[in-house]
PDB file of all heavy atoms in Angstrom:
ATOM      1  N   ARG O 224     -17.381  15.126 -21.158  1.00 60.00           N
ATOM      2  CA  ARG O 224     -16.328  16.100 -21.418  1.00 60.00           C
ATOM      3  C   ARG O 224     -15.431  15.687 -22.584  1.00 60.00           C
ATOM      4  O   ARG O 224     -14.844  16.532 -23.249  1.00 60.00           O
ATOM      5  CB  ARG O 224     -15.438  16.278 -20.183  1.00 60.00           C
ATOM      6  CG  ARG O 224     -16.094  17.010 -19.022  1.00 60.00           C
ATOM      7  CD  ARG O 224     -15.164  16.990 -17.831  1.00 60.00           C
ATOM      8  NE  ARG O 224     -15.715  17.676 -16.677  1.00 60.00           N
ATOM      9  CZ  ARG O 224     -15.450  18.935 -16.352  1.00 60.00           C
ATOM     10  NH1 ARG O 224     -14.669  19.646 -17.133  1.00 60.00           N
ATOM     11  NH2 ARG O 224     -15.978  19.488 -15.281  1.00 60.00           N
ATOM     12  N   ALA O 225     -15.331  14.390 -22.800  1.00 56.00           N
ATOM     13  CA  ALA O 225     -14.388  13.881 -23.799  1.00 56.00           C
ATOM     14  C   ALA O 225     -14.847  14.227 -25.210  1.00 56.00           C
ATOM     15  O   ALA O 225     -15.977  13.962 -25.578  1.00 56.00           O
ATOM     16  CB  ALA O 225     -14.228  12.374 -23.655  1.00 56.00           C
ATOM     17  N   GLN O 226     -13.993  14.805 -25.999  1.00 51.00           N
ATOM     18  CA  GLN O 226     -14.279  15.068 -27.406  1.00 51.00           C
ATOM     19  C   GLN O 226     -14.052  13.797 -28.223  1.00 51.00           C
ATOM     20  O   GLN O 226     -14.495  13.704 -29.350  1.00 51.00           O
ATOM     21  CB  GLN O 226     -13.351  16.162 -27.930  1.00 51.00           C
ATOM     22  CG  GLN O 226     -13.795  17.550 -27.561  1.00 51.00           C
ATOM     23  CD  GLN O 226     -14.776  18.099 -28.574  1.00 51.00           C
ATOM     24  OE1 GLN O 226     -15.382  17.373 -29.340  1.00 51.00           O
ATOM     25  NE2 GLN O 226     -14.944  19.389 -28.561  1.00 51.00           N
ATOM     26  N   GLY O 227     -13.397  12.813 -27.637  1.00 54.00           N
ATOM     27  CA  GLY O 227     -12.927  11.701 -28.447  1.00 54.00           C
ATOM     28  C   GLY O 227     -11.567  12.113 -28.981  1.00 54.00           C
ATOM     29  O   GLY O 227     -11.347  13.248 -29.379  1.00 54.00           O
ATOM     30  N   ASP O 228     -10.625  11.188 -28.987  1.00 63.00           N
ATOM     31  CA  ASP O 228      -9.272  11.573 -29.359  1.00 63.00           C
ATOM     32  C   ASP O 228      -9.028  11.399 -30.851  1.00 63.00           C
ATOM     33  O   ASP O 228      -7.894  11.226 -31.289  1.00 63.00           O
ATOM     34  CB  ASP O 228      -8.248  10.772 -28.550  1.00 63.00           C
ATOM     35  CG  ASP O 228      -8.481   9.271 -28.656  1.00 63.00           C
ATOM     36  OD1 ASP O 228      -9.510   8.875 -29.227  1.00 63.00           O
ATOM     37  OD2 ASP O 228      -7.632   8.503 -28.177  1.00 63.00           O
ATOM     38  N   PHE O 229     -10.075  11.440 -31.668  1.00 75.00           N
ATOM     39  CA  PHE O 229      -9.913  11.372 -33.115  1.00 75.00           C
ATOM     40  C   PHE O 229      -9.519  12.743 -33.661  1.00 75.00           C
ATOM     41  O   PHE O 229     -10.019  13.780 -33.209  1.00 75.00           O
ATOM     42  CB  PHE O 229     -11.216  10.929 -33.792  1.00 75.00           C
ATOM     43  CG  PHE O 229     -11.495   9.464 -33.667  1.00 75.00           C
ATOM     44  CD1 PHE O 229     -12.231   8.971 -32.603  1.00 75.00           C
ATOM     45  CD2 PHE O 229     -11.030   8.568 -34.614  1.00 75.00           C
ATOM     46  CE1 PHE O 229     -12.494   7.626 -32.475  1.00 75.00           C
ATOM     47  CE2 PHE O 229     -11.292   7.211 -34.504  1.00 75.00           C
ATOM     48  CZ  PHE O 229     -12.028   6.741 -33.436  1.00 75.00           C
ATOM     49  N   ALA O 230      -8.639  12.741 -34.638  1.00 80.00           N
ATOM     50  CA  ALA O 230      -8.293  13.942 -35.392  1.00 80.00           C
ATOM     51  C   ALA O 230      -8.201  13.507 -36.847  1.00 80.00           C
ATOM     52  O   ALA O 230      -7.239  12.865 -37.262  1.00 80.00           O
ATOM     53  CB  ALA O 230      -6.979  14.534 -34.915  1.00 80.00           C
ATOM     54  N   VAL O 231      -9.230  13.818 -37.622  1.00 87.00           N
ATOM     55  CA  VAL O 231      -9.353  13.284 -38.979  1.00 87.00           C
ATOM     56  C   VAL O 231      -9.394  14.417 -39.986  1.00 87.00           C
ATOM     57  O   VAL O 231     -10.161  15.374 -39.837  1.00 87.00           O
ATOM     58  CB  VAL O 231     -10.628  12.418 -39.131  1.00 87.00           C
ATOM     59  CG1 VAL O 231     -10.675  11.780 -40.512  1.00 87.00           C
ATOM     60  CG2 VAL O 231     -10.673  11.347 -38.046  1.00 87.00           C
ATOM     61  N   THR O 232      -8.558  14.310 -41.016  1.00 89.00           N
ATOM     62  CA  THR O 232      -8.597  15.206 -42.160  1.00 89.00           C
ATOM     63  C   THR O 232      -9.269  14.474 -43.312  1.00 89.00           C
ATOM     64  O   THR O 232      -8.911  13.333 -43.626  1.00 89.00           O
ATOM     65  CB  THR O 232      -7.178  15.639 -42.566  1.00 89.00           C
ATOM     66  OG1 THR O 232      -6.566  16.326 -41.476  1.00 89.00           O
ATOM     67  CG2 THR O 232      -7.220  16.556 -43.776  1.00 89.00           C
ATOM     68  N   PHE O 233     -10.236  15.125 -43.952  1.00 93.00           N
ATOM     69  CA  PHE O 233     -11.034  14.468 -44.989  1.00 93.00           C
ATOM     70  C   PHE O 233     -10.656  15.001 -46.373  1.00 93.00           C
ATOM     71  O   PHE O 233     -10.492  16.210 -46.570  1.00 93.00           O
ATOM     72  CB  PHE O 233     -12.527  14.700 -44.744  1.00 93.00           C
ATOM     73  CG  PHE O 233     -13.051  13.996 -43.528  1.00 93.00           C
ATOM     74  CD1 PHE O 233     -13.063  14.633 -42.296  1.00 93.00           C
ATOM     75  CD2 PHE O 233     -13.509  12.690 -43.605  1.00 93.00           C
ATOM     76  CE1 PHE O 233     -13.538  13.989 -41.171  1.00 93.00           C
ATOM     77  CE2 PHE O 233     -13.983  12.039 -42.488  1.00 93.00           C
ATOM     78  CZ  PHE O 233     -13.994  12.680 -41.262  1.00 93.00           C
ATOM     79  N   LEU O 234     -10.550  14.082 -47.340  1.00 94.00           N
ATOM     80  CA  LEU O 234     -10.287  14.407 -48.734  1.00 94.00           C
ATOM     81  C   LEU O 234     -11.467  13.963 -49.581  1.00 94.00           C
ATOM     82  O   LEU O 234     -12.142  12.982 -49.263  1.00 94.00           O
ATOM     83  CB  LEU O 234      -9.011  13.712 -49.226  1.00 94.00           C
ATOM     84  CG  LEU O 234      -7.755  13.846 -48.355  1.00 94.00           C
ATOM     85  CD1 LEU O 234      -6.604  13.077 -48.983  1.00 94.00           C
ATOM     86  CD2 LEU O 234      -7.380  15.306 -48.145  1.00 94.00           C
ATOM     87  N   ASP O 235     -11.732  14.683 -50.669  1.00 94.00           N
ATOM     88  CA  ASP O 235     -12.816  14.271 -51.545  1.00 94.00           C
ATOM     89  C   ASP O 235     -12.352  13.149 -52.474  1.00 94.00           C
ATOM     90  O   ASP O 235     -11.229  12.641 -52.348  1.00 94.00           O
ATOM     91  CB  ASP O 235     -13.365  15.468 -52.332  1.00 94.00           C
ATOM     92  CG  ASP O 235     -12.368  16.032 -53.348  1.00 94.00           C
ATOM     93  OD1 ASP O 235     -11.307  15.412 -53.566  1.00 94.00           O
ATOM     94  OD2 ASP O 235     -12.642  17.101 -53.920  1.00 94.00           O
ATOM     95  N   ARG O 236     -13.200  12.770 -53.404  1.00 94.00           N
ATOM     96  CA  ARG O 236     -12.891  11.631 -54.278  1.00 94.00           C
ATOM     97  C   ARG O 236     -11.681  11.884 -55.154  1.00 94.00           C
ATOM     98  O   ARG O 236     -11.068  10.936 -55.675  1.00 94.00           O
ATOM     99  CB  ARG O 236     -14.103  11.309 -55.150  1.00 94.00           C
ATOM    100  CG  ARG O 236     -14.515  12.418 -56.101  1.00 94.00           C
ATOM    101  CD  ARG O 236     -15.746  12.083 -56.914  1.00 94.00           C
ATOM    102  NE  ARG O 236     -15.566  10.902 -57.728  1.00 94.00           N
ATOM    103  CZ  ARG O 236     -16.399  10.514 -58.687  1.00 94.00           C
ATOM    104  NH1 ARG O 236     -17.503  11.230 -58.931  1.00 94.00           N
ATOM    105  NH2 ARG O 236     -16.171   9.436 -59.392  1.00 94.00           N
ATOM    106  N   TYR O 237     -11.299  13.150 -55.327  1.00 93.00           N
ATOM    107  CA  TYR O 237     -10.148  13.486 -56.166  1.00 93.00           C
ATOM    108  C   TYR O 237      -8.901  13.827 -55.354  1.00 93.00           C
ATOM    109  O   TYR O 237      -7.888  14.227 -55.924  1.00 93.00           O
ATOM    110  CB  TYR O 237     -10.507  14.668 -57.072  1.00 93.00           C
ATOM    111  CG  TYR O 237     -11.703  14.400 -57.953  1.00 93.00           C
ATOM    112  CD1 TYR O 237     -12.900  15.089 -57.752  1.00 93.00           C
ATOM    113  CD2 TYR O 237     -11.652  13.452 -58.973  1.00 93.00           C
ATOM    114  CE1 TYR O 237     -14.008  14.845 -58.556  1.00 93.00           C
ATOM    115  CE2 TYR O 237     -12.755  13.198 -59.779  1.00 93.00           C
ATOM    116  CZ  TYR O 237     -13.931  13.896 -59.561  1.00 93.00           C
ATOM    117  OH  TYR O 237     -15.021  13.636 -60.347  1.00 93.00           O
ATOM    118  N   GLY O 238      -8.978  13.711 -54.035  1.00 91.00           N
ATOM    119  CA  GLY O 238      -7.816  13.962 -53.199  1.00 91.00           C
ATOM    120  C   GLY O 238      -7.689  15.372 -52.670  1.00 91.00           C
ATOM    121  O   GLY O 238      -6.678  15.703 -52.032  1.00 91.00           O
ATOM    122  N   ASN O 239      -8.695  16.223 -52.879  1.00 90.00           N
ATOM    123  CA  ASN O 239      -8.650  17.588 -52.356  1.00 90.00           C
ATOM    124  C   ASN O 239      -9.175  17.622 -50.920  1.00 90.00           C
ATOM    125  O   ASN O 239     -10.169  16.964 -50.605  1.00 90.00           O
ATOM    126  CB  ASN O 239      -9.510  18.508 -53.223  1.00 90.00           C
ATOM    127  CG  ASN O 239      -9.081  18.498 -54.678  1.00 90.00           C
ATOM    128  OD1 ASN O 239      -7.901  18.671 -54.984  1.00 90.00           O
ATOM    129  ND2 ASN O 239     -10.024  18.272 -55.581  1.00 90.00           N
ATOM    130  N   GLU O 240      -8.525  18.390 -50.045  1.00 88.00           N
ATOM    131  CA  GLU O 240      -8.974  18.485 -48.657  1.00 88.00           C
ATOM    132  C   GLU O 240     -10.294  19.239 -48.583  1.00 88.00           C
ATOM    133  O   GLU O 240     -10.460  20.307 -49.182  1.00 88.00           O
ATOM    134  CB  GLU O 240      -7.932  19.196 -47.798  1.00 88.00           C
ATOM    135  CG  GLU O 240      -8.316  19.264 -46.319  1.00 88.00           C
ATOM    136  CD  GLU O 240      -7.228  19.846 -45.434  1.00 88.00           C
ATOM    137  OE1 GLU O 240      -6.049  19.800 -45.846  1.00 88.00           O
ATOM    138  OE2 GLU O 240      -7.566  20.343 -44.342  1.00 88.00           O
ATOM    139  N   ILE O 241     -11.237  18.684 -47.844  1.00 90.00           N
ATOM    140  CA  ILE O 241     -12.554  19.312 -47.719  1.00 90.00           C
ATOM    141  C   ILE O 241     -12.899  19.682 -46.282  1.00 90.00           C
ATOM    142  O   ILE O 241     -13.927  20.323 -46.040  1.00 90.00           O
ATOM    143  CB  ILE O 241     -13.659  18.389 -48.284  1.00 90.00           C
ATOM    144  CG1 ILE O 241     -13.624  17.015 -47.595  1.00 90.00           C
ATOM    145  CG2 ILE O 241     -13.532  18.258 -49.780  1.00 90.00           C
ATOM    146  CD1 ILE O 241     -14.758  16.091 -48.024  1.00 90.00           C
ATOM    147  N   GLY O 242     -12.071  19.296 -45.319  1.00 86.00           N
ATOM    148  CA  GLY O 242     -12.353  19.689 -43.940  1.00 86.00           C
ATOM    149  C   GLY O 242     -11.746  18.743 -42.936  1.00 86.00           C
ATOM    150  O   GLY O 242     -11.079  17.758 -43.292  1.00 86.00           O
ATOM    151  N   GLN O 243     -11.978  19.053 -41.667  1.00 83.00           N
ATOM    152  CA  GLN O 243     -11.459  18.266 -40.559  1.00 83.00           C
ATOM    153  C   GLN O 243     -12.551  18.061 -39.521  1.00 83.00           C
ATOM    154  O   GLN O 243     -13.496  18.835 -39.429  1.00 83.00           O
ATOM    155  CB  GLN O 243     -10.256  18.962 -39.908  1.00 83.00           C
ATOM    156  CG  GLN O 243      -9.050  19.119 -40.801  1.00 83.00           C
ATOM    157  CD  GLN O 243      -7.915  19.842 -40.098  1.00 83.00           C
ATOM    158  OE1 GLN O 243      -8.145  20.729 -39.279  1.00 83.00           O
ATOM    159  NE2 GLN O 243      -6.688  19.461 -40.405  1.00 83.00           N
ATOM    160  N   ARG O 244     -12.396  17.026 -38.767  1.00 82.00           N
ATOM    161  CA  ARG O 244     -13.270  16.773 -37.630  1.00 82.00           C
ATOM    162  C   ARG O 244     -12.439  16.108 -36.528  1.00 82.00           C
ATOM    163  O   ARG O 244     -11.390  15.552 -36.774  1.00 82.00           O
ATOM    164  CB  ARG O 244     -14.439  15.854 -38.006  1.00 82.00           C
ATOM    165  CG  ARG O 244     -15.543  16.515 -38.825  1.00 82.00           C
ATOM    166  CD  ARG O 244     -16.252  17.583 -38.005  1.00 82.00           C
ATOM    167  NE  ARG O 244     -17.379  18.161 -38.721  1.00 82.00           N
ATOM    168  CZ  ARG O 244     -17.297  19.206 -39.522  1.00 82.00           C
ATOM    169  NH1 ARG O 244     -16.127  19.777 -39.741  1.00 82.00           N
ATOM    170  NH2 ARG O 244     -18.380  19.691 -40.108  1.00 82.00           N
ATOM    171  N   GLY O 245     -12.984  16.184 -35.306  1.00 72.00           N
ATOM    172  CA  GLY O 245     -12.299  15.563 -34.175  1.00 72.00           C
ATOM    173  C   GLY O 245     -11.729  16.614 -33.267  1.00 72.00           C
ATOM    174  O   GLY O 245     -12.416  17.565 -32.879  1.00 72.00           O
ATOM    175  N   ILE O 246     -10.445  16.491 -32.950  1.00 57.00           N
ATOM    176  CA  ILE O 246      -9.822  17.403 -31.999  1.00 57.00           C
ATOM    177  C   ILE O 246      -9.392  18.664 -32.737  1.00 57.00           C
ATOM    178  O   ILE O 246      -8.221  18.940 -32.924  1.00 57.00           O
ATOM    179  CB  ILE O 246      -8.629  16.746 -31.284  1.00 57.00           C
ATOM    180  CG1 ILE O 246      -8.993  15.354 -30.790  1.00 57.00           C
ATOM    181  CG2 ILE O 246      -8.177  17.588 -30.099  1.00 57.00           C
ATOM    182  CD1 ILE O 246      -7.856  14.618 -30.165  1.00 57.00           C
ATOM    183  N   ILE O 247     -10.367  19.432 -33.190  1.00 48.00           N
ATOM    184  CA  ILE O 247     -10.064  20.682 -33.874  1.00 48.00           C
ATOM    185  C   ILE O 247      -9.648  21.737 -32.853  1.00 48.00           C
ATOM    186  O   ILE O 247      -9.007  22.710 -33.174  1.00 48.00           O
ATOM    187  CB  ILE O 247     -11.282  21.138 -34.698  1.00 48.00           C
ATOM    188  CG1 ILE O 247     -11.661  20.033 -35.675  1.00 48.00           C
ATOM    189  CG2 ILE O 247     -11.000  22.415 -35.457  1.00 48.00           C
ATOM    190  CD1 ILE O 247     -12.864  20.343 -36.507  1.00 48.00           C
ATOM    191  N   GLN O 248      -9.990  21.513 -31.597  1.00 44.00           N
ATOM    192  CA  GLN O 248      -9.575  22.430 -30.542  1.00 44.00           C
ATOM    193  C   GLN O 248      -8.275  21.956 -29.888  1.00 44.00           C
ATOM    194  O   GLN O 248      -8.048  22.149 -28.721  1.00 44.00           O
ATOM    195  CB  GLN O 248     -10.663  22.525 -29.456  1.00 44.00           C
ATOM    196  CG  GLN O 248     -12.016  22.954 -29.979  1.00 44.00           C
ATOM    197  CD  GLN O 248     -12.843  21.766 -30.400  1.00 44.00           C
ATOM    198  OE1 GLN O 248     -12.332  20.668 -30.550  1.00 44.00           O
ATOM    199  NE2 GLN O 248     -14.126  21.968 -30.601  1.00 44.00           N
ATOM    200  N   ARG O 249      -7.409  21.327 -30.689  1.00 47.00           N
ATOM    201  CA  ARG O 249      -6.197  20.754 -30.110  1.00 47.00           C
ATOM    202  C   ARG O 249      -5.264  21.824 -29.532  1.00 47.00           C
ATOM    203  O   ARG O 249      -4.435  21.542 -28.683  1.00 47.00           O
ATOM    204  CB  ARG O 249      -5.466  19.923 -31.165  1.00 47.00           C
ATOM    205  CG  ARG O 249      -5.174  20.681 -32.451  1.00 47.00           C
ATOM    206  CD  ARG O 249      -4.670  19.727 -33.539  1.00 47.00           C
ATOM    207  NE  ARG O 249      -4.482  20.383 -34.820  1.00 47.00           N
ATOM    208  CZ  ARG O 249      -5.455  20.561 -35.705  1.00 47.00           C
ATOM    209  NH1 ARG O 249      -6.671  20.155 -35.430  1.00 47.00           N
ATOM    210  NH2 ARG O 249      -5.221  21.150 -36.854  1.00 47.00           N
ATOM    211  N   ASP O 250      -5.387  23.081 -30.026  1.00 62.00           N
ATOM    212  CA  ASP O 250      -4.564  24.172 -29.510  1.00 62.00           C
ATOM    213  C   ASP O 250      -5.406  25.138 -28.681  1.00 62.00           C
ATOM    214  O   ASP O 250      -5.197  26.344 -28.706  1.00 62.00           O
ATOM    215  CB  ASP O 250      -3.900  24.924 -30.674  1.00 62.00           C
ATOM    216  CG  ASP O 250      -2.975  24.027 -31.474  1.00 62.00           C
ATOM    217  OD1 ASP O 250      -2.303  23.189 -30.856  1.00 62.00           O
ATOM    218  OD2 ASP O 250      -2.944  24.152 -32.714  1.00 62.00           O
ATOM    219  N   SER O 251      -6.374  24.593 -27.970  1.00 77.00           N
ATOM    220  CA  SER O 251      -7.289  25.425 -27.189  1.00 77.00           C
ATOM    221  C   SER O 251      -6.512  26.327 -26.233  1.00 77.00           C
ATOM    222  O   SER O 251      -5.584  25.906 -25.549  1.00 77.00           O
ATOM    223  CB  SER O 251      -8.239  24.522 -26.385  1.00 77.00           C
ATOM    224  OG  SER O 251      -9.025  25.285 -25.520  1.00 77.00           O
ATOM    225  N   VAL O 252      -6.927  27.589 -26.225  1.00 88.00           N
ATOM    226  CA  VAL O 252      -6.273  28.583 -25.377  1.00 88.00           C
ATOM    227  C   VAL O 252      -7.112  28.796 -24.130  1.00 88.00           C
ATOM    228  O   VAL O 252      -8.321  29.041 -24.226  1.00 88.00           O
ATOM    229  CB  VAL O 252      -6.104  29.914 -26.142  1.00 88.00           C
ATOM    230  CG1 VAL O 252      -5.528  30.989 -25.224  1.00 88.00           C
ATOM    231  CG2 VAL O 252      -5.219  29.712 -27.363  1.00 88.00           C
ATOM    232  N   PRO O 253      -6.513  28.712 -22.923  1.00 89.00           N
ATOM    233  CA  PRO O 253      -7.279  28.960 -21.698  1.00 89.00           C
ATOM    234  C   PRO O 253      -7.877  30.363 -21.686  1.00 89.00           C
ATOM    235  O   PRO O 253      -7.304  31.310 -22.235  1.00 89.00           O
ATOM    236  CB  PRO O 253      -6.237  28.787 -20.587  1.00 89.00           C
ATOM    237  CG  PRO O 253      -5.175  27.935 -21.196  1.00 89.00           C
ATOM    238  CD  PRO O 253      -5.134  28.308 -22.646  1.00 89.00           C
ATOM    239  N   VAL O 254      -9.026  30.478 -21.052  1.00 91.00           N
ATOM    240  CA  VAL O 254      -9.711  31.765 -20.983  1.00 91.00           C
ATOM    241  C   VAL O 254      -8.812  32.826 -20.367  1.00 91.00           C
ATOM    242  O   VAL O 254      -8.806  33.993 -20.803  1.00 91.00           O
ATOM    243  CB  VAL O 254     -11.022  31.616 -20.170  1.00 91.00           C
ATOM    244  CG1 VAL O 254     -11.636  32.987 -19.889  1.00 91.00           C
ATOM    245  CG2 VAL O 254     -12.011  30.739 -20.916  1.00 91.00           C
ATOM    246  N   ASP O 255      -8.027  32.458 -19.340  1.00 91.00           N
ATOM    247  CA  ASP O 255      -7.161  33.428 -18.661  1.00 91.00           C
ATOM    248  C   ASP O 255      -6.103  34.017 -19.590  1.00 91.00           C
ATOM    249  O   ASP O 255      -5.578  35.108 -19.324  1.00 91.00           O
ATOM    250  CB  ASP O 255      -6.478  32.769 -17.462  1.00 91.00           C
ATOM    251  CG  ASP O 255      -7.465  32.438 -16.356  1.00 91.00           C
ATOM    252  OD1 ASP O 255      -8.530  33.088 -16.324  1.00 91.00           O
ATOM    253  OD2 ASP O 255      -7.190  31.531 -15.558  1.00 91.00           O
ATOM    254  N   GLU O 256      -5.766  33.288 -20.677  1.00 92.00           N
ATOM    255  CA  GLU O 256      -4.727  33.758 -21.590  1.00 92.00           C
ATOM    256  C   GLU O 256      -5.297  34.525 -22.782  1.00 92.00           C
ATOM    257  O   GLU O 256      -4.542  35.048 -23.599  1.00 92.00           O
ATOM    258  CB  GLU O 256      -3.893  32.576 -22.081  1.00 92.00           C
ATOM    259  CG  GLU O 256      -3.147  31.851 -20.974  1.00 92.00           C
ATOM    260  CD  GLU O 256      -2.311  30.699 -21.498  1.00 92.00           C
ATOM    261  OE1 GLU O 256      -2.081  30.645 -22.721  1.00 92.00           O
ATOM    262  OE2 GLU O 256      -1.896  29.850 -20.687  1.00 92.00           O
ATOM    263  N   MET O 257      -6.617  34.579 -22.908  1.00 93.00           N
ATOM    264  CA  MET O 257      -7.232  35.324 -24.001  1.00 93.00           C
ATOM    265  C   MET O 257      -7.255  36.808 -23.665  1.00 93.00           C
ATOM    266  O   MET O 257      -7.389  37.184 -22.500  1.00 93.00           O
ATOM    267  CB  MET O 257      -8.663  34.831 -24.246  1.00 93.00           C
ATOM    268  CG  MET O 257      -8.753  33.413 -24.759  1.00 93.00           C
ATOM    269  SD  MET O 257     -10.482  32.960 -25.121  1.00 93.00           S
ATOM    270  CE  MET O 257     -10.295  31.201 -25.441  1.00 93.00           C
ATOM    271  N   PRO O 258      -7.138  37.669 -24.656  1.00 93.00           N
ATOM    272  CA  PRO O 258      -7.216  39.119 -24.392  1.00 93.00           C
ATOM    273  C   PRO O 258      -8.546  39.494 -23.758  1.00 93.00           C
ATOM    274  O   PRO O 258      -9.586  38.887 -24.051  1.00 93.00           O
ATOM    275  CB  PRO O 258      -7.065  39.734 -25.787  1.00 93.00           C
ATOM    276  CG  PRO O 258      -6.380  38.691 -26.604  1.00 93.00           C
ATOM    277  CD  PRO O 258      -6.849  37.370 -26.069  1.00 93.00           C
ATOM    278  N   ASP O 259      -8.516  40.510 -22.940  1.00 94.00           N
ATOM    279  CA  ASP O 259      -9.719  40.941 -22.240  1.00 94.00           C
ATOM    280  C   ASP O 259     -10.814  41.379 -23.209  1.00 94.00           C
ATOM    281  O   ASP O 259     -11.994  41.116 -22.999  1.00 94.00           O
ATOM    282  CB  ASP O 259      -9.355  42.092 -21.291  1.00 94.00           C
ATOM    283  CG  ASP O 259     -10.535  42.492 -20.412  1.00 94.00           C
ATOM    284  OD1 ASP O 259     -11.043  41.631 -19.680  1.00 94.00           O
ATOM    285  OD2 ASP O 259     -10.936  43.665 -20.473  1.00 94.00           O
ATOM    286  N   HIS O 260     -10.412  42.015 -24.322  1.00 94.00           N
ATOM    287  CA  HIS O 260     -11.429  42.502 -25.255  1.00 94.00           C
ATOM    288  C   HIS O 260     -12.119  41.360 -26.003  1.00 94.00           C
ATOM    289  O   HIS O 260     -13.225  41.524 -26.490  1.00 94.00           O
ATOM    290  CB  HIS O 260     -10.834  43.512 -26.247  1.00 94.00           C
ATOM    291  CG  HIS O 260      -9.628  43.018 -26.986  1.00 94.00           C
ATOM    292  ND1 HIS O 260      -8.339  43.360 -26.628  1.00 94.00           N
ATOM    293  CD2 HIS O 260      -9.504  42.209 -28.062  1.00 94.00           C
ATOM    294  CE1 HIS O 260      -7.478  42.799 -27.462  1.00 94.00           C
ATOM    295  NE2 HIS O 260      -8.160  42.093 -28.343  1.00 94.00           N
ATOM    296  N   VAL O 261     -11.474  40.209 -26.118  1.00 93.00           N
ATOM    297  CA  VAL O 261     -12.123  39.046 -26.744  1.00 93.00           C
ATOM    298  C   VAL O 261     -13.270  38.549 -25.862  1.00 93.00           C
ATOM    299  O   VAL O 261     -14.392  38.329 -26.333  1.00 93.00           O
ATOM    300  CB  VAL O 261     -11.104  37.923 -26.993  1.00 93.00           C
ATOM    301  CG1 VAL O 261     -11.811  36.641 -27.432  1.00 93.00           C
ATOM    302  CG2 VAL O 261     -10.081  38.340 -28.040  1.00 93.00           C
ATOM    303  N   ILE O 262     -12.988  38.392 -24.567  1.00 93.00           N
ATOM    304  CA  ILE O 262     -14.014  37.918 -23.633  1.00 93.00           C
ATOM    305  C   ILE O 262     -15.157  38.917 -23.541  1.00 93.00           C
ATOM    306  O   ILE O 262     -16.336  38.544 -23.562  1.00 93.00           O
ATOM    307  CB  ILE O 262     -13.402  37.667 -22.241  1.00 93.00           C
ATOM    308  CG1 ILE O 262     -12.234  36.670 -22.338  1.00 93.00           C
ATOM    309  CG2 ILE O 262     -14.469  37.157 -21.286  1.00 93.00           C
ATOM    310  CD1 ILE O 262     -12.620  35.326 -22.901  1.00 93.00           C
TER     311      ILE O 262
END
């Protein structure tokens, strides 16, 4: 179940952000709180 508690932002060789990995679901919304039409 564990995602690992890493939250990493990656920059390229010139310092530009190219993406993230780790706890990208840090603001995960419970299914019960999602709109009915989304489910």
Side-chain angles (χ1 to χ4, degrees):
R224 289 174 180 264
Q226 280 273 19
D228 54 352
F229 284 91
V231 185
T232 299
F233 291 91
L234 311 179
D235 67 8
R236 63 182 300 191
Y237 302 112
N239 303 310
E240 183 174 337
I241 56 175
Q243 296 179 326
R244 285 294 185 271
I246 313 176
I247 303 178
Q248 303 90 346
R249 54 190 175 275
D250 298 322
S251 174
V252 175
V254 171
D255 291 337
E256 298 181 15
M257 294 184 189
D259 186 58
H260 54 260
V261 171
I262 303 301

